[in-house]
Amino acid sequence: MTESETNEPSPDDIGPEVRRAVGRIYRRVRSEMHDEQLGDTAVSVLAYLVKHGPQTPGLLSELERVTPRP
């Protein structure tokens, strides 16, 4: 079967649509967050810890490309 027979778009065709959708979702989530809530880096680190378990501050700072606090 060819693409025209299945009516399924190719990954190259849907890539830009997915990118725009993710951008809209990201902007919506950011607009609904309050100032006292966690920032992007903190959420990213917490998600990593949930998935991979305890880590050192040094490793986490390398992953997020930030300088650890003393």
Side-chain angles (χ1 to χ4, degrees), residues 48-68:
Y48 187 87
L49 292 172
V50 166
K51 185 173 183 179
H52 299 283
Q55 305 293 322
T56 65
L59 174 71
L60 296 172
S61 65
E62 285 178 31
L63 292 170
E64 293 298 322
R65 295 185 175 95
V66 296
T67 304

Side-chain angles (χ1 to χ4, degrees), residues 11-67:
D12 291 337
D13 293 336
I14 63 171
E17 290 181 45
V18 171
R19 198 169 15 264
R20 283 191 296 274
V22 168
R24 285 193 302 268
I25 292 168
Y26 177 79
R27 287 189 296 278
R28 175 71 183 267
V29 168
R30 295 294 298 156
S31 72
E32 293 187 11
M33 289 181 71
H34 300 287
D35 289 337
E36 65 272 0
Q37 289 182 320
L38 298 175
D40 294 340
T41 301
V43 170
S44 176
V45 167
L46 289 174
Y48 187 87
L49 292 172
V50 166
K51 185 173 183 179
H52 299 283
Q55 305 293 322
T56 65
L59 174 71
L60 296 172
S61 65
E62 285 178 31
L63 292 170
E64 293 298 322
R65 295 185 175 95
V66 296
T67 304

